[in-house]
């Protein structure tokens, strides 16, 4: 019986799938290195202890939401504003989960919960390259990205003692670079291109006008425009 348990956990095919997933997402792991450093640094500057800063990366595990919430904490924003902002920023994960249902519907509840925890924009970008993905490949990619995020955040905490103003080194540009790498391959038709252009124009306008959560509003409008464009073409 013990041999069966060991073989289940150390099945070479399973390990190969996990490693395959890790290798697929490694370029995106490297791309978020500055992002992780910034998250660790900002957590310390927001008044968190090193243990709390690492704990935030370990339990929240949402780069954009972490940076936004930390910035709002440092600005003295009310709790309800922080909660609402984090909810809106991470709401796209519901769509990611729906998209992955076909790949994980036969897995146990525990396995689906585990994959849901490590589901990120980067993991979704990996999964979207195929209509169906092996669960263990996805899990390997998600776990590896999670571990990398923890390591990067840890180094961000350590570097804060030497570079107290990491947020002024423009490391947040890695956020933009990462999302460009994710989004560009997904623009496969003119409808998607129209949606992206609409979102970019409206985002720039909202920044100029200093509209609260303008980026999220612009993204929603961009998606609606893309859907309307595709629907109109089908009717014609």
């Amino acid at each position: 019986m013990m041999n069966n348990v060991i073989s289940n956990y150390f099945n070479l095919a399973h390990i190969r799938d996990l490693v395959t997933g890790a290798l697929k997402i490694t370029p995106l792991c490297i791309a978020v290195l500055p992002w992780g450093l910034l998250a660790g640094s900002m957590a310390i500057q927001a008044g968190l202890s090193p243990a709390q800063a690492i704990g935030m990366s370990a339990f929240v595990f949402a780069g954009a939401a972490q940076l936004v919430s930390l910035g709002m904490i440092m600005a003295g924003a009310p709790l309800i504003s922080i909660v609402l902002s984090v909810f809106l920023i991470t709401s796209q994960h519901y769509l990611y989960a729906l998209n992955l249902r076909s790949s994980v519907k036969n897995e146990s509840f525990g396995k689906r919960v585990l994959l849901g925890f490590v589901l990120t924009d980067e993991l979704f970008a990996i999964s979207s390259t195929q209509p169906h993905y092996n669960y263990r490949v996805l899990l390997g990619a998600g776990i590896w990205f999670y571990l990398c995020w923890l390591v990067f955040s840890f180094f961000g905490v350590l570097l804060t003692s030497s570079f107290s103003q990491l947020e002024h080194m423009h490391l947040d540009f890695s956020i933009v670079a990462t999302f460009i790498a994710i989004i560009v391959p997904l623009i496969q038709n003119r409808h998607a291109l129209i949606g992206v252009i609409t979102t970019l124009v409206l985002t720039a306008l909202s920044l100029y006008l200093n509209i609260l959560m303008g980026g999220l509003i612009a993204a929603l409008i961009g998606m609606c425009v893309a859907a309307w464009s595709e629907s109109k073409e089908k009717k014609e």
Side-chain angles (χ1 to χ4, degrees):
M1 181 176 180
M2 181 60 70
N3 290 333
N4 290 334
V5 172
I6 293 175
S7 63
N8 287 334
Y9 279 94
F10 294 95
N11 185 294
L12 290 179
H14 293 183
I15 294 175
R16 183 171 60 248
D17 289 339
L18 294 172
V19 173
T20 297
L23 291 175
K24 285 181 176 294
I25 206 168
T26 293
L28 292 175
C29 292
I30 297 173
V32 298
L33 169 59
W35 199 348
L37 296 178
L38 186 59
S41 172
M42 285 186 65
I44 297 298
Q45 293 173 28
L48 275 64
S49 68
Q52 290 172 332
I54 299 301
M56 185 178 191
S57 289
F59 293 104
V60 178
F61 186 42
Q66 285 181 232
L67 294 177
V68 169
S69 60
L70 288 170
M72 295 180 73
I73 290 173
M74 294 169 69
L79 179 60
I80 184 63
S81 297
I82 297 174
V83 172
L84 180 61
S85 297
V86 170
F87 174 77
L88 292 174
I89 290 171
T90 58
S91 59
Q92 78 272 16
H93 288 78
Y94 293 107
L95 299 178
Y96 296 166
L98 287 172
N99 187 270
L100 288 174
R101 286 183 64 186
S102 62
S103 296
V104 302
K105 63 182 180 181
N106 295 324
E107 304 296 336
S108 66
F109 176 76
K111 289 183 177 180
R112 283 183 277 134
V113 169
L114 178 59
L115 185 63
F117 176 73
V118 297
L119 178 57
T120 59
D121 300 299
E122 291 77 11
L123 181 58
F124 177 71
I126 296 297
S127 68
S128 62
T129 59
Q130 295 183 17
H132 180 83
Y133 236 107
N134 182 302
Y135 169 83
R136 289 185 296 273
V137 173
L138 294 175
L139 185 62
I143 291 176
W144 179 241
F145 190 87
Y146 175 71
L147 293 175
C148 289
W149 179 253
L150 290 182
V151 172
F152 299 158
S153 299
F154 175 73
F155 279 112
V157 171
L158 291 182
L159 286 173
T160 304
S161 59
S162 301
F163 303 96
S164 59
Q165 298 295 324
L166 277 182
E167 75 275 15
H168 296 316
M169 298 178 67
H170 303 292
L171 297 178
D172 50 347
F173 178 74
S174 65
I175 301 174
V176 179
T178 300
F179 278 100
I180 289 175
I182 291 173
I183 292 172
V184 169
L186 299 179
I187 304 176
Q188 299 178 354
N189 54 55
R190 67 185 183 89
H191 309 297
L193 180 60
I194 291 172
V196 170
I197 293 175
T198 301
T199 300
L200 290 175
V201 172
L202 293 178
T203 299
L205 182 62
S206 67
L207 289 173
Y208 178 76
L209 298 176
N210 197 28
I211 299 176
L212 183 64
M213 293 187 293
L216 293 174
I217 297 172
L220 290 173
I221 295 175
M223 287 188 290
C224 291
V225 169
W228 171 80
S229 175
E230 185 174 7
S231 175
K232 182 180 178 181
E233 183 180 80
K234 289 180 178 178
K235 288 181 180 180
E236 292 176 350

